[in-house]
Amino acid sequence: MNETLKVIAERYSCRDFKDEMLPDELLKAIAEAAIQAPSGMNRQDWRVIVVKNKELMQEMEAEGLAYLAGMEDQSSYNRIMERGGRLFYGAPCMIVVPIDPTQYGPALVDCGILCQTIALAATSLGIANIMCGYTGLAFASGLRAEEFSKRLGFPEGYAFGCSVLLGYANTTKPPHVPDKDKITYVE
């Protein structure tokens, strides 16, 4: 198996990070790998924002938890609380990817490609990671969305797309078992 396929097969979603910041050179390598991701018509309707500010991350996590707690359907909130009550699983840093909402459909696809590139680049460097849509809850209520967008440096008019949490794993787990029944060949 080549190295790329090995990295893909070994990647898992980490939900238990050490409180140790990644070195800047690793974060730079991951961010630079991210911007090599393809995008439709090379629009690049995303930005890559590396967040190392723990206070900001804690505020966003608290806002997201408050949003979940106020929802009528408590299933997501209960699941998070059963997992320790942390949306960001103790990750010391993250990459937030805002997108241009005027290109919403294509921008979301491109955002997914970019986040997968981040996850695979991080895994190849021995960095645990998880794609985290829960970060978007900090922007969901609208109460602090503008504040968080400004503090993160979103370009004017951009909105949250997705994020990837990064750090060293406190505990590891095996990757999910691939379901080969999901593959169909048409000849």
Side-chain angles (χ1 to χ4, degrees):
M1 184 181 310
N2 74 30
E3 286 302 309
T4 302
L5 295 176
K6 185 177 177 196
V7 167
I8 292 169
E10 291 176 351
R11 195 205 156 269
Y12 70 97
S13 293
C14 181
R15 290 185 177 86
D16 184 21
F17 291 92
K18 293 180 181 178
D19 186 30
E20 179 182 342
M21 185 56 68
L22 298 176
D24 286 342
E25 59 270 10
L26 287 179
L27 290 170
K28 181 180 178 185
I30 293 166
E32 288 180 0
I35 62 171
Q36 293 178 55
S39 65
M41 298 180 358
N42 198 28
R43 280 188 302 260
Q44 300 179 27
D45 290 322
W46 37 248
R47 295 297 183 270
V48 174
I49 300 171
V50 180
V51 183
K52 295 171 46 177
N53 183 323
K54 289 184 182 186
E55 179 183 313
L56 176 57
M57 287 178 61
Q58 289 169 346
E59 289 178 45
M60 291 172 63
E61 184 172 52
E63 185 72 14
L65 282 169
Y67 182 83
L68 277 179
M71 292 178 66
E72 186 175 325
D73 178 358
Q74 291 288 290
S75 58
S76 292
Y77 179 75
N78 292 335
R79 182 177 171 142
I80 290 297
M81 296 314 287
E82 289 168 8
R83 289 183 170 174
R86 302 177 307 170
L87 295 178
F88 301 158
Y89 310 109
C93 57
M94 72 168 88
I95 295 180
V96 175
V97 181
I99 60 171
D100 179 355
T102 65
Q103 300 294 323
Y104 189 70
L108 273 181
V109 171
D110 293 344
C111 177
I113 295 167
L114 184 127
C115 287
Q116 179 71 356
T117 301
I118 292 167
L120 294 176
T123 300
S124 77
L125 295 169
I127 304 304
N129 59 84
I130 183 171
M131 290 185 210
C132 186
Y134 280 133
T135 305
L137 296 175
F139 301 89
S141 70
L143 299 175
R144 296 189 71 188
E146 187 175 332
E147 172 197 344
F148 290 137
S149 295
K150 284 182 181 176
R151 289 174 70 188
L152 289 166
F154 282 21
E156 184 69 33
Y158 271 52
F160 174 80
C162 197
S163 70
V164 182
L165 306 176
L166 301 166
Y168 296 111
N170 214 17
T171 56
T172 60
K173 66 177 194 172
H176 71 275
V177 176
D179 181 356
K180 292 185 180 181
D181 289 337
K182 303 287 183 187
I183 301 172
T184 302
Y185 297 92
V186 179
E187 295 184 33

